[in-house]
Amino acid sequence: MMKTRRLRLFLYAMLVVTAQAQTSNFFVDGFHGGLYGHYPLDTYTQFMVDQLERYPDWRIGLEIEPETWDTVAVRTPEAYRLFKQKMMSSQVEVTNPTYAQPYLYNINGESIIRQFQYGMQKLRSHFPGISFNTYSSEEPCYTSQLPQLLRLLGFKYVALKCPDTCWGGYTEAHGGQLVNLVGPDGSKMIAVPRYACEKLQEGSVWQTIGWTNSEEYIRACEKAGIENPVGMCYQDAGWTYGPWLRDRKGQTQYVRWTDYIDRYTQKKNVEEWRWSQEDIHPGLMWGSQVMQRIGRQVRQAENLLVQAEKLGVLTGHRMDQWQMDEAWRTLMLAQHHDSWIVPYNNLKDYGTWADAIRMWTDCSVATARKMMSDAIAVGKQGGPYVTFYNTTAHRRQEVATTADGRLLWVDVPAFGQTTCRVDTAVAAQAREDRWQGETTAVLENDQYRLTFDLKRGGIVSSWIDKQQGGRELVDQRSTSHFGELKGYFNQHGGMRSSTESVATATCLADHPLKQQIRIDGYVAGVPFSHTITLTQGQRRVDCQLTINWTEDTSVGDPFRYRSNANRTPYYDTRYMLRMLFPVALQQPRLSKDAPFDVCESRLDDTFYNRWDSIKHNVVLNWVDLSEGRKGQGFALLSDHTTSYSYGADEPLALTVQYAGDGLWWRRYPINGATEMNYALVPHQGRWDQAQLQDMVDDWHNPLVASGCHAQQYPTRQLLAATCQLSAAMMQDDGAMILRLFNADGKGGREQLRLGFPVKDVVEVDLNGEPLAHHRPDAKGTISMKMPRFAIKTLKIYPER
């Protein structure tokens, strides 16, 4: 009995000692990179196997480009075989399965879905049975719609820390151990935030204090009442340190993200954090010429690939799936985060990242165009008739252009087609003598009357909105000028403006359906051409800007960047060359779109010049100013992801050019012409009342024209929806996949009307797993519960 009591006391004492010694600090270690980023293909897989064997209590998260394993399997088959075993063990977790590790916030929503779907498919082909539970990234690869998207992909959690690579930005510090992250559609997901106490590291421009579980970090967590705090560092693949915390191993326990959240956190009654796109602080080289070109190339490929898939469904043309997959692959590679943050770095045999992006997007665009041409091949003969195809889910009544440039007014049903006789249609003619020798030029149609002051560089001195009772859109009290190019030229006298030089005007098109002017002027001695197009019945004003640089010159903040200096010249847009738009609005609020989202800005202004105070000043597709539901509004659309600027004393402006010191002490030069397209949309009410998303959808999905000798195809409508059609594609089993996005509906229910008989309509998640069945009514209409910003994917089985 005495021996039993002593044994109990001994065991109790040992438990106390063990409990006292047991750590309550945790760390997520892991690796980031891959075939295109950085991954020593002949050695690194075996290195990871050896390290996992040597340290059985080590745990790692992986963010390795999925395509990497194709090459590893060939180059080092034995190491690949051994690592497959480790991948399925409790030591390893894949936290970012996207195909090419994109930043997410800078590409369209459909691209994000494909990045996950293709990446997860590739990983499952190498590691059957693999699961994806927690999303995490070394870089700030985040967007506001992650709660909904990740749930639809089967994830449980998300980690919002990226503490060791903040060059490209970081997330907002917020909350304690966990938050319940609320997306724009109301979807919720448990998340590990960058703690409110997790500061950016003193004297560094790329780390938070959480990247090494330093004493400072642990003390800050204790003071904030965070039990079981966790740090993180994803090492670049190629580093050979093994476990990262070599000097503090006894103080910290390595964990995988999912195990940490499941076992060491309290998930009940955690704070809800309604996440905004402005809680992501991305600091890239906006305005640099290389970024403009990358952004335009990626956006063009995104739009064409999605439209090609839709056109195949609309015409019944079966796409070559291998070719389409390859086109998406090259586009996804162009969306790699390294494409945007280190475009001038060398990339294997491709040259620089920028060189590779041009090659990849050229391939994607060529495939998309070929598939669109094949889909309408029946009309290649030409003739007096033209069939127009509408790949949006709403009716289009607008001016259309034939392949040879003739104009006509058409009425095309939603996701449908109509055939018109066009032999009487004529092209718009130029009138080169129209404004010759004049000091003003007037462009006018049924919507607007624009007056250009040629003495002041061709600015818009007056913009009358005829549809709003002759309202003047230009703020006549502003010291800035509408359409003015303005920026700081350090080698050419400082702040310079296009208003300093006289401009000329040329009439490019004079037609009842189309009016077009080209303004030719100078800014700091550099020639530019600015083309503005008015189209009958269209609220959108299309603009094209070309700056023909004669030399590489600095444009932007003249401050010289130094290593580890917090002030950075490439952040302050006030010094960059900008196109200014002072609009006559009273105390407007600013909104901007994001992937599958619209963010109402909380910023007083967009200006900053320090790494530790980055503000979200990114325009994905559009930014909008509005006085409210009963007031007026004005939207700016961009053909590429870039930055905008706005503040109490500064008008809305689009960033046009930065050239100078940049990330990693690299000079970002001017090389050739700057080219960009943008559009302007005056409107009533807020962006949603104006159906701005539909206008952008039309911009991204122009009507497709196909000539023919006879009216072979009458008007028909395949489907229509009260929300946006994000994607449409055919599967090998004959099923049609439709992805819907509720951009601006406010009733909570949306409708889809099908123009063909169906056997079944199954709502599926983004893995293709069934969620619900929908039964069309007698008119082929399906009514679905769908809050604003919700995404639904339907698998439709047509009757044969």
Side-chain angles (χ1 to χ4, degrees):
M1 187 73 174
M2 183 63 69
K3 289 181 180 180
T4 303
R5 183 182 178 191
R6 286 176 179 172
L7 179 59
R8 288 176 178 171
L9 288 172
F10 174 77
L11 292 174
Y12 176 78
M14 291 300 296
L15 285 172
V16 170
V17 170
T18 302
Q20 290 174 343
Q22 190 171 12
T23 179
S24 59
N25 302 329
F26 297 87
F27 196 80
V28 177
D29 202 350
F31 296 101
H32 156 93
L35 179 65
Y36 298 95
H38 31 73
Y39 189 101
L41 294 167
D42 293 324
T43 60
Y44 211 68
T45 307
Q46 188 62 53
F47 167 78
M48 290 193 294
V49 170
D50 293 342
Q51 292 294 303
L52 289 166
E53 287 286 344
R54 182 177 178 184
Y55 302 101
D57 60 345
W58 192 33
R59 301 290 183 268
I60 59 172
L62 289 185
E63 186 185 26
I64 303 297
E65 299 152 15
E67 194 177 314
T68 305
W69 304 112
D70 291 346
T71 305
V72 168
V74 174
R75 297 269 286 266
T76 57
E78 180 59 18
Y80 169 76
R81 184 187 68 81
L82 294 171
F83 192 77
K84 287 181 71 171
Q85 299 172 9
K86 293 296 181 184
M87 182 70 90
M88 307 308 294
S89 74
S90 62
Q91 284 187 279
V92 182
E93 177 179 37
V94 171
T95 62
N96 184 358
T98 55
Y99 200 89
Q101 303 170 4
Y103 277 128
L104 302 181
Y105 63 79
N106 60 335
I107 58 178
N108 283 332
E110 194 60 35
S111 288
I112 296 174
I113 290 175
R114 307 305 175 94
Q115 284 276 358
F116 276 99
Q117 288 180 330
Y118 278 103
M120 292 164 71
Q121 180 185 28
K122 175 66 72 174
L123 286 168
R124 286 178 175 131
S125 72
H126 284 282
F127 311 107
I130 191 173
S131 61
F132 306 102
N133 297 303
T134 302
Y135 176 80
S136 177
S137 174
E138 185 207 28
E139 303 266 353
C141 298
Y142 301 107
T143 193
S144 55
Q145 267 288 17
L146 273 178
Q148 179 177 198
L149 291 170
L150 292 176
R151 281 200 169 279
L152 289 171
L153 288 160
F155 284 77
K156 296 167 59 179
Y157 310 123
V158 58
L160 303 179
K161 298 175 183 284
C162 50
D164 59 318
T165 309
C166 298
W167 282 99
Y170 41 83
T171 57
E172 180 78 10
H174 182 94
Q177 188 174 44
L178 294 179
V179 294
N180 203 0
L181 204 65
V182 184
D185 70 309
S187 295
K188 298 177 182 179
M189 177 165 278
I190 291 293
V192 179
R194 176 163 78 92
Y195 306 145
C197 65
E198 187 178 340
K199 302 181 299 181
L200 300 174
Q201 189 162 298
E202 190 75 24
S204 170
V205 293
W206 60 288
Q207 296 157 335
T208 77
I209 61 174
W211 79 303
T212 59
N213 268 20
S214 65
E215 292 184 9
E216 177 190 10
Y217 175 59
I218 299 303
R219 284 197 303 268
C221 292
E222 290 174 351
K223 186 176 180 180
I226 298 173
E227 297 181 0
N228 300 335
V230 63
M232 173 190 174
C233 176
Y234 273 11
Q235 305 172 49
D236 280 356
W239 293 4
T240 55
Y241 297 109
W244 183 240
L245 301 182
R246 297 170 298 285
D247 299 329
R248 287 178 295 281
K249 172 60 188 71
Q251 304 168 7
T252 300
Q253 179 177 333
Y254 288 111
V255 288
R256 302 185 301 179
W257 270 123
T258 302
D259 296 335
Y260 170 75
I261 298 170
D262 277 340
R263 300 176 187 176
Y264 304 110
T265 65
Q266 174 55 256
K267 294 182 286 297
K268 293 182 179 179
N269 302 318
V270 299
E271 174 196 1
E272 287 194 353
W273 182 16
R274 185 163 286 277
W275 216 32
S276 162
Q277 194 74 349
E278 289 187 342
D279 291 317
I280 303 162
H281 303 263
L284 296 179
M285 293 297 302
W286 309 119
S288 65
Q289 210 169 54
V290 66
M291 287 280 284
Q292 291 165 345
R293 290 167 180 165
I294 290 169
R296 298 187 77 215
Q297 289 158 0
V298 166
R299 182 62 48 77
Q300 181 191 31
E302 285 182 312
N303 291 341
L304 281 173
L305 275 181
V306 171
Q307 190 174 29
E309 290 177 332
K310 291 178 180 178
L311 191 62
V313 173
L314 181 56
T315 63
H317 175 72
R318 294 300 295 270
M319 300 286 185
D320 184 316
Q321 193 58 49
W322 183 90
Q323 288 187 356
M324 184 58 74
D325 290 344
E326 181 62 16
W328 272 107
R329 172 185 167 271
T330 50
L331 170 58
M332 290 186 296
L333 292 177
Q335 295 167 337
H336 195 293
H337 67 270
D338 280 345
S339 299
W340 299 75
I341 196 168
V342 287
Y344 288 127
N345 279 13
N346 289 325
L347 177 63
K348 302 183 185 297
D349 297 327
Y350 295 102
T352 66
W353 272 96
D355 295 331
I357 295 158
R358 183 176 62 252
M359 181 196 71
W360 285 329
T361 53
D362 282 351
C363 290
S364 299
V365 167
T367 298
R369 284 178 170 160
K370 181 182 184 302
M371 289 188 167
M372 293 175 72
S373 178
D374 290 345
I376 56 174
V378 67
K380 284 186 177 179
Q381 307 95 325
Y385 291 92
V386 172
T387 299
F388 293 95
Y389 299 92
N390 172 15
T391 55
T392 70
H394 57 268
R395 181 183 178 187
R396 306 271 288 272
Q397 295 174 293
E398 61 188 70
V399 175
T401 306
T402 64
D404 56 1
R406 289 178 291 169
L407 303 172
L408 71 159
W409 182 265
V410 298
D411 185 348
V412 192
F415 207 70
Q417 64 191 63
T418 191
T419 300
C420 309
R421 190 175 182 93
V422 297
D423 48 349
T424 59
V426 295
Q429 299 299 311
R431 286 180 51 192
E432 296 185 1
D433 61 341
R434 183 171 178 182
W435 297 297
Q436 192 170 8
E438 307 223 359
T439 58
T440 60
V442 176
L443 199 67
E444 187 171 7
N445 73 344
D446 64 318
Q447 301 288 314
Y448 308 113
R449 186 176 190 268
L450 279 71
T451 302
F452 299 88
D453 186 343
L454 303 180
K455 293 179 297 184
R456 293 187 289 173
I459 60 153
V460 179
S461 57
S462 175
W463 183 341
I464 301 300
D465 188 340
K466 295 182 177 182
Q467 301 298 314
Q468 299 300 323
R471 174 174 165 260
E472 175 62 68
L473 297 175
V474 176
D475 185 356
Q476 301 293 339
R477 299 170 301 173
S478 176
T479 56
S480 300
H481 304 285
F482 198 103
E484 173 186 7
L485 282 169
K486 188 176 182 179
Y488 195 94
F489 292 76
N490 193 40
Q491 297 155 305
H492 298 277
M495 192 64 73
R496 302 295 301 273
S497 167
S498 59
T499 61
E500 298 167 357
S501 300
V502 174
T504 61
T506 303
C507 176
L508 299 182
D510 185 11
H511 188 284
L513 300 180
K514 180 180 179 181
Q515 295 286 313
Q516 189 176 66
I517 189 173
R518 187 185 73 227
I519 302 294
D520 293 299
Y522 294 87
V523 57
V526 180
F528 70 84
S529 293
H530 192 200
T531 302
I532 298 94
T533 305
L534 302 183
T535 304
Q536 181 176 313
Q538 178 177 285
R539 296 294 289 169
R540 189 184 80 236
V541 177
D542 294 320
C543 307
Q544 182 181 36
L545 177 65
T546 301
I547 303 178
N548 294 299
W549 298 97
T550 55
E551 61 179 350
D552 178 13
T553 185
S554 295
V555 183
D557 189 343
F559 175 79
R560 296 293 297 171
Y561 176 63
R562 294 184 299 275
S563 176
N564 289 336
N566 266 325
R567 184 176 173 188
T568 49
Y570 47 82
Y571 283 157
D572 199 336
T573 55
R574 287 172 291 192
Y575 292 89
M576 297 178 187
L577 187 63
R578 298 179 292 157
M579 178 71 75
L580 305 177
F581 306 105
V583 189
L585 296 174
Q586 301 297 317
Q587 297 181 323
R589 298 291 299 273
L590 187 143
S591 300
K592 51 195 169 186
D593 82 321
F596 292 128
D597 187 19
V598 175
C599 168
E600 296 196 9
S601 180
R602 303 170 302 197
L603 300 174
D604 294 328
D605 60 59
T606 60
F607 305 116
Y608 64 96
N609 60 11
R610 291 170 57 92
W611 167 79
D612 57 5
S613 55
I614 293 173
K615 298 178 183 179
H616 186 285
N617 64 348
V618 177
V619 51
L620 177 68
N621 291 294
W622 58 263
V623 60
D624 180 72
L625 294 175
S626 171
E627 295 172 329
R629 294 198 170 276
K630 296 182 179 180
Q632 306 296 323
F634 184 86
L636 164 64
L637 282 56
S638 172
D639 73 344
H640 65 292
T641 302
T642 184
S643 65
Y644 71 95
S645 57
Y646 183 66
D649 300 320
E650 292 277 348
L652 178 66
L654 181 66
T655 302
V656 173
Q657 188 70 70
Y658 171 79
D661 293 338
L663 286 168
W664 283 290
W665 313 280
R666 175 96 194 203
R667 174 174 165 74
Y668 279 65
I670 290 173
N671 179 19
T674 292
E675 297 178 329
M676 62 175 62
N677 296 324
Y678 67 93
L680 305 173
V681 184
H683 60 82
Q684 280 189 299
R686 286 165 33 104
W687 61 269
D688 50 350
Q689 293 172 288
Q691 297 183 307
L692 183 59
Q693 292 278 40
D694 280 350
M695 294 188 199
V696 177
D697 212 16
D698 293 346
W699 202 37
H700 290 173
N701 292 266
L703 296 176
V704 179
S706 173
C708 50
H709 282 292
Q711 194 166 358
Q712 300 175 24
Y713 298 98
T715 298
R716 75 179 182 115
Q717 176 177 291
L718 197 63
L719 60 91
T722 57
C723 52
Q724 282 191 306
L725 181 64
S726 175
M729 64 202 88
M730 296 300 298
Q731 292 194 323
D732 289 340
D733 61 358
M736 180 189 300
I737 298 293
L738 300 181
R739 186 138 42 244
L740 305 173
F741 168 54
N742 182 11
D744 48 29
K746 60 182 180 180
R749 297 197 74 84
E750 299 297 320
Q751 292 186 335
L752 170 69
R753 185 167 185 175
L754 301 173
F756 54 92
V758 299
K759 290 190 296 185
D760 196 10
V761 178
V762 184
E763 182 182 339
V764 297
D765 65 15
L766 294 177
N767 292 320
E769 297 297 323
L771 298 174
H773 286 262
H774 297 278
R775 184 182 298 276
D777 64 16
K779 296 182 179 180
T781 300
I782 299 169
S783 180
M784 298 167 289
K785 184 178 180 181
M786 203 171 177
R788 180 174 287 187
F789 306 130
I791 304 160
K792 282 191 182 295
T793 304
L794 302 180
K795 188 171 185 178
I796 299 174
Y797 295 89
E799 289 278 6
R800 294 190 181 279

